[in-house]
């Protein structure tokens, strides 16, 4: 996102990718959930498998909503593009880069 400063902006960003080594920041937004009104940021390894990311990072965060049911999670998107991720593919393999934004939604159980 471009930033328009009202003065000379002459210093590097404090959250630039090179400061994170083998890790990266990934934002996650639960679409349509009023409990989480904005995306959350997580520092994770680029090589983390998507399935591990969902179960070990997203799951515990989302579980702070008492209505969360991990079996209803789906509709994953990277920014605006739908993704069908293998649980074994790494975040890097899926194109999730530093400050990438993943969205998901839940479908109520029938």
């Amino acid at each position: 996102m471009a930033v328009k400063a009202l003065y000379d902006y002459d210093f590097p960003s404090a959250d630039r990718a090179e400061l994170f080594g083998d890790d990266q920041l990934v934002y996650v937004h639960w679409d349509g959930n009023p409990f989480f009104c904005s995306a959350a940021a997580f520092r994770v390894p680029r090589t983390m498998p998507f399935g591990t990311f969902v179960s070990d990072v997203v799951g515990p965060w989302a579980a702070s909503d008492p209505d969360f049911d991990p079996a209803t999670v789906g509709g994953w998107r990277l920014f605006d593009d739908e993704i069908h991720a293998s649980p074994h593919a790494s975040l890097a393999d899926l194109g999730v880069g530093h400050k990438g934004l993943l969205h998901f939604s839940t479908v109520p159980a029938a």
Side-chain angles (χ1 to χ4, degrees), residues 1 4 10-11 14 23 27 29 34-35 43 48 51-52 63 70 73 76-77 79 96 98-99 107:
M1 176 172 81
K4 182 177 181 181
D10 193 20
F11 52 92
D23 293 345
Y27 296 102
H29 186 241
F35 193 72
R43 181 178 180 156
M48 177 178 269
T52 303
V73 171
W76 286 98
R77 292 182 291 123
F79 294 102
V96 180
H98 186 62
K99 298 184 184 178
V107 178

Side-chain angles (χ1 to χ4, degrees), residues 5-80:
L6 300 176
Y7 52 88
D8 289 336
Y9 190 86
D10 193 20
F11 52 92
S13 169
D15 60 357
R16 61 191 184 277
E18 60 264 27
L19 297 179
F20 286 81
D22 293 331
D23 293 345
Q24 63 184 4
L25 290 178
V26 176
Y27 296 102
V28 178
H29 186 241
W30 182 349
D31 291 338
N33 183 303
F35 193 72
F36 299 103
C37 62
S38 61
F42 301 99
R43 181 178 180 156
V44 294
R46 283 183 228 139
T47 57
M48 177 178 269
F50 184 72
T52 303
F53 178 73
V54 172
S55 66
D56 294 2
V57 176
V58 176
W61 166 72
S64 60
D65 180 337
D67 294 330
F68 177 64
D69 178 357
T72 63
V73 171
W76 286 98
R77 292 182 291 123
L78 176 58
F79 294 102
D80 292 327

Side-chain angles (χ1 to χ4, degrees), residues 10 30 32 45 65 71 73 77 81-82 101 104-106:
D10 193 20
W30 182 349
D65 180 337
V73 171
R77 292 182 291 123
D81 299 324
E82 188 176 344
L101 174 60
F104 73 94
S105 57
T106 54

